[in-house]
Amino acid sequence: MARSRLIAGNWKMHKTVGEAEALARGLVALGEPADQVLLCPPFTALARVGELLRGQPGFFRGAQNMHWEGAGAFTGEICPGMLAELGCAFVILGHSERRHIFRETDAEINRKVGAALGAGLAPVLCVGETQEEREAGRAQGVVGGQLRAGLAGAAAAEAARLVLAYEPVWAIGSGLAAGPGDAQGMAAFLRGELVQLWGREAADEVRILYGGSVTPDNIETFLAEGDVDGALVGGASLDAGNFGRMYRRK
Ligand code: PGA
């Protein structure tokens, strides 16, 4: 089965509602994307961006995080149903900033993956090693461990909805992107792990993105690799002209 390409923009803690509106308008003005384009604004801008994208084929919205419970006394948290109600199709889970700044564990991320699937959301599960882990020769071990822990309990039948993002921690926001060969190597390794978990057919349905200092100038080198099905873009997704250059338009 051919996997459709996905170009995702993680806006992180950037853009007021007004700024998000301007960015979304700018992207819509560029025309219909040929790739699937995923916009992940802050929670506060999800609804407004949704209004602007209504009736615009090819654009999807996602959140950057959520809690795993369906409701309750969790001050400051957002639950899966709240995102689904806003029309979100995706949710980024286990981003390295969540893991490292907010100390999210594999077990918590696993609960979130299960909750997302249960709520009809497509998880974008992020995995990636630190510089130290890479230098110690542990990159595959770390990333494979994050994959297996994150997906524990998920079924092969969910494969078509699952998106993985390989984001080496040292490449995020640093301007030092991984080499395309490294990105392909890790994507192929992850797909091999998925084959062991779920079998070849399901593994071939999972989309694997590369993220970490992706720019309009280097994105094609990643997309040319056979196991890389798209990109998760941070900084370069905050400007309509830049982000628009990163996906194909009809
Ligand atoms: P970057 O961020 O493109 O700014 O490196 C990527 C990410 O954190 O998803």
Side-chain angles (χ1 to χ4, degrees):
M1 191 190 85
R3 297 180 294 270
S4 43
R5 186 182 280 182
L6 180 67
I7 307 295
N10 173 10
W11 299 2
K12 307 192 180 183
M13 198 172 71
H14 296 286
K15 307 289 180 189
T16 61
V17 175
E19 290 164 351
E21 178 174 329
L23 176 48
R25 277 191 201 283
L27 291 171
V28 166
L30 295 173
E32 183 183 340
D35 297 325
Q36 289 186 10
V37 174
L38 170 60
L39 307 182
C40 300
F43 291 129
T44 48
L46 277 167
R48 185 67 190 121
V49 169
E51 286 161 21
L52 292 165
L53 297 182
R54 189 165 299 140
Q56 302 290 340
F59 288 102
F60 299 84
R61 276 171 307 142
Q64 301 171 17
N65 179 35
M66 62 171 205
H67 197 270
W68 57 82
E69 292 289 348
F74 300 102
T75 301
E77 294 292 324
I78 299 280
C79 72
M82 293 171 180
L83 300 179
E85 181 192 30
L86 289 180
C88 281
F90 294 81
V91 57
I92 298 173
L93 296 175
H95 187 277
S96 102
E97 287 146 21
R98 301 296 321 169
R99 292 179 189 266
H100 294 103
I101 303 173
F102 300 102
R103 301 271 173 251
E104 278 189 19
T105 64
D106 278 327
E108 289 167 341
I109 294 161
N110 175 245
R111 293 178 80 169
K112 294 182 181 196
V113 169
L117 291 169
L121 300 166
V124 180
L125 172 62
C126 301
V127 297
E129 83 286 358
T130 63
Q131 178 75 39
E132 204 178 20
E133 290 162 344
R134 166 161 284 248
E135 281 165 8
R138 294 174 49 221
Q140 285 194 349
V142 167
V143 166
Q146 291 171 342
L147 175 79
R148 281 187 298 276
L151 295 183
E158 313 284 10
R161 254 198 305 155
L162 175 70
V163 179
L164 288 180
Y166 169 55
E167 298 206 306
V169 178
W170 44 272
I172 296 176
S174 65
L176 296 169
D182 282 343
Q184 163 61 23
M186 196 60 93
F189 166 74
L190 288 169
R191 205 174 299 284
E193 296 290 290
L194 290 167
V195 171
Q196 284 183 24
L197 266 181
W198 290 341
R200 182 87 245 172
E201 201 180 322
D204 280 341
E205 289 180 341
V206 176
R207 290 185 286 181
I208 303 180
L209 315 182
Y210 167 75
S213 298
V214 178
T215 66
D217 296 324
N218 67 17
I219 190 167
E220 283 304 331
T221 64
F222 296 108
L223 299 179
E225 300 289 348
D227 284 291
V228 179
D229 305 308
L232 180 52
V233 185
S237 73
L238 296 174
D239 172 84
N242 267 342
F243 193 54
R245 276 175 63 202
M246 301 174 88
Y247 57 81
R248 293 174 294 195
R249 285 183 295 282
K250 283 187 178 161

